[in-house]
Amino acid sequence: MKVGIVTQSYYPRYGGVTEHVHALALELRRRGHDVTILTSRFRKGETGGAIRVRRIGYNMLVPFNRAFVDFTVGWGLKGQLKRAMRELDLDVVHVHCPTAPSLPVLAIDVCDRPLVATFHSTGGRTAMQDLFAPLLSRLVSRLDGRIAVSETAKATAEIYHPGRYEVIPNGVDVDRFHPLNAPFPEWRDPAFVNILFVGRLDPRKGVHDMVAAMPELLERTDGRARLLVVGDSYLRPQIEALVSSAARRNVHFLGHVPSADLPRWYATGDLFCSPATGNESFGIVLAEAMAAGRAVACSDIPGYRCVVTPGRDAVCFPPGDVRAIARTLAQLVDDPERRGVLAEAGRRRALDFAWPRVVDRIENVYREAVGHRRAALTGHSAA
C-alpha cells in the first residue's frame, strides 16, 4: 500500500509519539509498503533517515495536559495537505492524535482516502474538548478504523467518541534495544549505580520528584546512586536549580542525545526510573528499558500498568511520593540480584511489544479500513 502517516510529533522533536511513528514507518517500509510521513517544519535537525518526509507549515509548542504539545501553524495548511495526499496517491491515511489541532484535524477534514487514526492520549474531560466536541465528533465519525494504544487511551477517547476501537499497544524494537548493547564506558564507574531517566522534561514526567528524592536516596545508599537524565525542554534550567548542593555531584543532565545513541544510554543505566505523575497512556520508555534488560522502577499509574505488572517485571511507587521514590530506588541500588530478576522478567515482557507483532495488527486495520471505504462507496455492507 501507499501509506501516508500524519503526525505533528516527529524528529527533531523527541517523544513517545515520534518514536512510535518512526518505528511504524520503518517496519511498514520493510514489508514493502510505500510510506510518507506528513508533518510540520522545525527550525533545525529535520531528518527522516530512510523514511520519506513531507513537511507542511511550522511547528510550535503549546502547553496542554501538563506537557508541551506540538501545534502546526502556517498559511494554506488544508490546501497543502489535500495536494500532498493527491500527489502521493495514497491508499490509506493514518493520523496520530486525531483530535489534536491543527495538522491531524485538518488532515481528516480534507482526506478523501481510507482513514485510520491512533489515539495516544489519556486523561479526563477538558474545556477545549467540551468546546469543540460537535466538530471533533463529526471528524472522528469519518474514520474507517480506530486504534487506541492502551485501555486507558481507549477509555479517554470514548468519553467523547464512543465506538469500536482496536487496542494495539505501542511497539518496541527488541533488536535495537537489547541487553547486549555496549554502555558508554566513561559513565561506568564501580563506585556508582546509575539510575537512568529518559523523556522530555515536561511537568507530568516527574523529574522534579526524582531530583527531590536524591538527598534521601544518597543518604540511604552512602552516596552510591547516580542519576542520569536524558531529555530536554525549556524547563531544564528550572529543574536543574532544584538539585540540592548535596546531590549535585550525583545528578547529571545530558540533554537531547542522538537517537542512534539511545540504546547505549539504556545499557549505561543499571536501572531505569520513570516517576510520571499521570496522564500517560502507555510508557514507551518502559518498554524500551525492559527490552534493553534494565530493571524498571516507575510510578503506579493506569497507563504504566498496561506495560508492567508491579512486583513481577517492575517495582512501583505512588506517583508524586518523593520519599517512596527514594526508598524504592535505594532498595534496588543495594540489591543487584533483585535488579537482575526484574531485568530478565522485563525482557520477556518486552517481547510482547515487538514491532512485527504490532504491525501485523495495524496492517489488518488498514485492510479493514480500505474494505470499509470501498463498501461505503458501493453501498454494500463492509462485512
Side-chain angles (χ1 to χ4, degrees):
M1 295 184 182
K2 293 182 179 179
V3 181
I5 301 179
V6 179
T7 176
Q8 285 186 137
S9 296
Y10 195 62
Y11 298 130
R13 169 80 159 147
Y14 289 90
V17 176
T18 293
E19 297 301 322
H20 176 105
V21 165
H22 187 69
L24 168 61
L26 287 175
E27 179 63 19
L28 288 170
R29 185 174 180 270
R30 188 187 69 78
R31 295 175 181 220
H33 299 291
D34 185 350
V35 183
T36 302
I37 292 175
L38 301 171
T39 189
S40 57
R41 294 182 181 87
F42 291 75
R43 300 299 179 185
K44 59 181 180 179
E46 294 181 357
T47 179
I51 303 301
R52 182 190 303 118
V53 180
R54 185 151 174 170
R55 296 188 183 269
I56 294 168
Y58 292 88
N59 181 273
M60 63 182 295
L61 294 179
V62 176
F64 179 74
N65 203 18
R66 292 191 292 136
F68 295 91
V69 300
D70 298 286
F71 185 85
T72 304
V73 296
W75 296 105
L77 295 178
K78 288 177 68 171
Q80 292 182 61
L81 281 165
K82 192 171 185 177
R83 184 163 57 253
M85 292 178 191
R86 183 177 64 248
E87 292 173 354
L88 293 168
D89 192 25
L90 300 172
D91 296 308
V92 64
V93 174
H94 188 171
V95 180
H96 289 262
C97 305
T99 61
S102 58
L103 208 62
V105 165
L106 295 177
I108 294 172
D109 191 36
V110 303
C111 185
D112 60 357
R113 311 297 165 107
L115 266 167
V116 171
T118 293
F119 293 75
H120 291 266
S121 299
T122 188
R125 301 187 73 94
T126 67
M128 180 175 290
Q129 293 266 24
D130 287 339
L131 180 63
F132 292 102
L135 168 64
L136 295 176
S137 293
R138 178 181 63 81
L139 292 173
V140 170
S141 70
R142 301 190 63 225
L143 299 174
D144 301 289
R146 306 182 194 182
I147 298 170
V149 297
S150 66
E151 290 292 341
T152 60
K154 176 185 174 184
T156 296
E158 287 180 326
I159 293 173
Y160 293 98
H161 314 294
R164 180 190 170 200
Y165 292 80
E166 291 292 328
V167 178
I168 303 177
N170 285 306
V172 63
D173 187 336
V174 297
D175 295 320
R176 179 180 175 223
F177 297 99
H178 194 279
L180 297 182
N181 283 323
F184 289 103
E186 62 270 29
W187 290 101
R188 297 299 301 170
D189 185 333
F192 296 102
V193 174
N194 288 332
I195 301 166
L196 181 71
F197 169 90
V198 175
R200 290 196 306 270
L201 305 187
D202 289 339
R204 77 174 191 221
K205 301 298 183 181
V207 184
H208 55 285
D209 290 329
M210 189 155 22
V211 166
M214 283 302 293
E216 181 177 346
L217 175 57
L218 292 173
E219 183 178 342
R220 287 174 174 269
T221 60
D222 296 323
R224 293 190 304 115
R226 178 166 62 182
L227 175 60
L228 306 179
V229 179
V230 171
D232 214 341
S233 82
Y234 84 93
L235 291 176
R236 176 176 166 182
Q238 298 176 36
I239 297 172
E240 286 183 325
L242 298 175
V243 180
S244 70
S245 58
R248 280 178 190 151
R249 175 173 175 264
N250 297 72
V251 179
H252 301 270
F253 288 82
L254 304 168
H256 282 311
V257 301
S259 180
D261 288 346
L262 195 53
R264 294 191 66 190
W265 282 111
Y266 281 110
T268 301
D270 295 291
L271 64 104
F272 180 82
C273 183
S274 182
T277 56
N279 289 358
E280 296 288 331
S281 61
F282 184 82
I284 289 179
V285 289
L286 302 184
E288 290 175 348
M290 291 157 62
R294 302 300 95 182
V296 167
C298 62
S299 46
D300 192 358
I301 56 178
Y304 281 0
R305 279 182 175 259
C306 298
V307 183
V308 304
T309 300
R312 186 180 71 187
D313 43 40
V315 292
C316 296
F317 45 80
D321 189 333
V322 171
R323 297 204 66 189
I325 294 171
R327 289 194 304 269
T328 300
L329 294 178
Q331 290 168 1
L332 289 176
V333 167
D334 290 335
D335 193 346
E337 272 191 38
R338 176 66 172 151
R339 296 202 304 267
V341 170
L342 289 170
E344 289 182 10
R347 173 67 185 179
R348 289 194 298 271
R349 172 59 170 154
L351 297 178
D352 293 337
F353 306 117
W355 270 111
R357 293 187 182 186
V358 172
V359 175
D360 282 346
R361 298 181 63 192
I362 292 175
E363 280 184 317
N364 285 335
V365 175
Y366 288 174
R367 284 190 285 268
E368 289 179 5
V370 171
H372 180 269
R373 182 61 65 98
R374 185 180 296 122
L377 291 174
T378 59
H380 293 92
S381 169

